Each structure stands twice: as C-alpha cells, then as structure tokens.
Amino acid sequence: MPLNSPVINVMVTAARKAARKLARDFGEVENLQVSRKGPGDFVSAADLRAEKIIFEELSKARPGYGFLMEESGTVEGPDKTHRWIIDPLDGTTNFLHGIPHFAISIALERDGQLVNGVIYNPVTDDLFVTEKGNGAYLNDRRLRVAARTRLDDAVFATGIPFKGLDWHAKFTREIDHIMPQVAGIRRFGAASLDLAWVAAGRFDGFWEHGLQPWDIAAGVLMVKEAGGFVSDINGADKKMDTNGIIAANADLLPHLQAMIKKAGRAAG
Ligand code: IPD
Ligand code: CA
Ligand code: CA
C-alpha cells in the first residue's frame, strides 16, 4: 500500500481487525441463511460488533478524536478538530443474503474537511485508501476515474430505494430517462463501494438519493483523489448532503446532473 502515513495505518489496522470478525460472521450468515428465521438478528449483532472493534481501535490510537458512527451515533471527544465517520457494515442487505459485496468504511475529517478514507471489502480483500492531496489506491495500484466521455459508453451505478422510503416513483422516472441514453446501469448495494469503484474507473459515475455521511464520507474523498468530481443530487457542491450524491469524471458529471434534473422536472 503506497499510502502509509501513520493515520492511514491506524485506519487500516482498525478496518482489518473488524473485517476478520465480519468475515467469520459472514460465514455464519451463510449457514443461517437456510434456517426459517433467517440471520436478521445475528446480522444486527455482527454490525454492532464490527463498530465496537473499530471504535476501540481508533480510540486507543487517537484518544480524544470525535466519532460519527452509523450504529452508535455521535461521540464527542476533547479534540474538536478531528472526527471519524464510520459505517461498520455498508451493504447490510447483501451481507444478510449471503451476497459477498459489502465493506467497512472509515473516514477522517479535520476541521470539517475530509482528509483520509479507507473502504475495505473483507471478502475480496480489496483495500481502498485515500489521503487528501496524496491520491487514492486500491491495494498497490493508484486509482484514476474512467476517461470515458460519451454517455453511450458509460456504465453508471445507483441505489434503488428500500421499502418504506418515499421516492420510488422519482427513482423509476430517473431510470426511465437515463436507461436509454447510457451503456448500462448497475445496483450493487453498497454505496461506499459504488464510490470506490467510480474512483477505480469501473463505474463511470454513481448517483443515489438519501444517503448518510457514513455511507459516502470515505468514498467522496476517494473519487476526488482519483481525479473525479462529486456534487449533491441537485448539482450543487455540497458534498455530504443527506439528499444524495452524484459522482463522475469532469465530462460525464454535467450530463448525469442534467439527466437527473430533467427526470425530476418530468414530474411536473
Ligand atoms: C446502504 C447501502 C446501499 C444504499 C443504502 C444505504 P447500509 O447502507 O449503502 O447501497 O443503497 O441507501 O443505506 O444500510 O447497508 O449500511
Ligand atoms: Ca451504509
Ligand atoms: Ca451500515
């Protein structure tokens, strides 16, 4: 891993430690899958266990930093300039169904600016790391966003709203509008990895409504450090807005923004 600043090492150590447990729990989920009750409660416990491991590791290595965690919420520290933003298991639905596509996502903010990110998929052992000003890497490989400029060639990832969310109609309008103009659309089910894959040039772009800071913090920095661009779902430059996100290279971002806007307007 060419990025080996002390803080990156701290983050990678915490992610790998939690990942070992998560990977064992994933094996157990595969067994529980066949039981009638299913692995639901077990998965919630696995999620919490992973978060606890990450919290303990990071607290030990950097006492005083604050936390924003998906499961445990906010923990203030005496150091008001640093904050960890953590999703201990991104892609819970995949995990629950025995689908090996999920990740641990850890970001570090300094004075409100994202400065480091780690996204780790324990099943594939894909370790994405990034540092502000120093690039983004997948294992040993420096990442660049895709160079494609034409919508006809572009494969975009997105998120399909879950049951209980109220933007199903908006989503189908977007798909209706975007599908005929692009090479393909994918829904893999872990927003952190969607962004990491944009950084790696696998996806040409990504959009999703209604994400939370822990879903995207590490990924936003990853995309930018790989030469990509990120906006909120309305095309404004508000990176961690919970209204959602659009990410792509410089050529495709305006096209993706325009298509999403137009699909929204079609609603009347
Ligand atoms: C979810 C995943 C998914 C996205 C959802 C997120 P979780 O996170 O990132 O891809 O579509 O909006 O909530 O719940 O698996 O941590
Ligand atoms: Ca998540
Ligand atoms: Ca989660």
Side-chain angles (χ1 to χ4, degrees):
M1 179 185 54
L3 281 184
N4 64 356
S5 64
V7 72
I8 282 281
N9 291 334
V10 161
M11 294 164 80
V12 170
T13 303
R16 283 199 190 277
K17 186 161 181 195
R20 280 196 290 279
K21 186 75 185 88
L22 216 47
R24 279 200 297 276
D25 287 342
F26 185 62
E28 186 59 25
V29 165
E30 287 172 315
N31 294 331
L32 289 171
Q33 207 56 259
V34 291
S35 75
R36 205 188 172 86
K37 189 162 165 271
D41 292 347
F42 178 81
V43 169
S44 318
D47 202 337
L48 287 168
R49 273 196 293 272
E51 188 166 279
K52 186 160 180 279
I53 293 170
I54 299 166
F55 176 74
E56 285 171 0
E57 281 295 308
L58 297 178
S59 306
K60 213 167 36 178
R62 293 289 184 277
Y65 284 19
F67 285 83
L68 173 62
M69 297 172 280
E70 177 173 15
E71 306 303 330
S72 323
T74 300
V75 174
E76 300 271 353
D79 179 339
K80 302 294 176 206
T81 57
H82 291 95
R83 182 169 75 143
W84 303 109
I85 304 174
I86 298 164
D87 191 339
L89 170 55
D90 185 42
T92 319
T93 306
N94 285 345
F95 190 94
L96 181 67
H97 285 256
I99 299 169
H101 187 81
F102 54 88
I104 290 167
S105 175
I106 307 175
L108 178 63
E109 233 179 31
R110 182 175 307 126
D111 296 320
Q113 291 240 359
L114 293 166
V115 286
N116 286 99
V118 167
I119 298 168
Y120 182 54
N121 178 342
V123 179
T124 58
D125 198 29
D126 274 356
L127 177 69
F128 296 88
V129 298
T130 183
E131 187 158 77
K132 192 173 165 58
N134 288 324
Y137 289 80
L138 165 54
N139 301 327
D140 287 334
R141 186 164 60 86
R142 177 107 195 221
L143 299 181
R144 283 298 300 171
V145 290
R148 290 186 196 89
T149 57
R150 293 164 45 93
L151 276 182
D152 324 20
D153 299 328
V155 170
F156 292 128
T158 188
I160 302 176
F162 295 167
K163 186 173 125 193
L165 296 176
D166 59 3
W167 57 84
H168 291 198
K170 190 200 285 184
F171 177 78
T172 36
R173 273 197 312 276
E174 283 172 3
I175 293 292
D176 254 5
H177 183 65
I178 296 172
M179 190 165 51
Q181 304 187 59
V182 302
I185 300 176
R186 300 286 183 270
R187 193 315 184 229
F188 272 65
S192 61
L193 287 172
D194 290 332
L195 286 164
W197 286 24
V198 170
R202 294 174 179 173
F203 294 138
D204 299 290
F206 168 63
W207 89 95
E208 184 166 351
H209 292 266
L211 292 167
Q212 300 294 329
W214 46 81
D215 297 315
I216 58 174
V220 162
L221 187 63
M222 204 74 66
V223 167
K224 289 180 165 181
E225 286 296 322
F229 292 84
V230 175
S231 77
D232 78 3
I233 204 79
N234 304 312
D237 185 29
K238 275 195 278 137
K239 281 123 250 165
M240 293 219 291
D241 194 295
T242 51
N243 283 328
I245 192 172
I246 312 177
N249 67 22
D251 292 298
L252 289 173
L253 188 77
H255 291 298
L256 191 49
Q257 287 170 334
M259 288 189 296
I260 292 165
K261 196 174 225 165
K262 190 137 183 228
R265 272 204 301 264

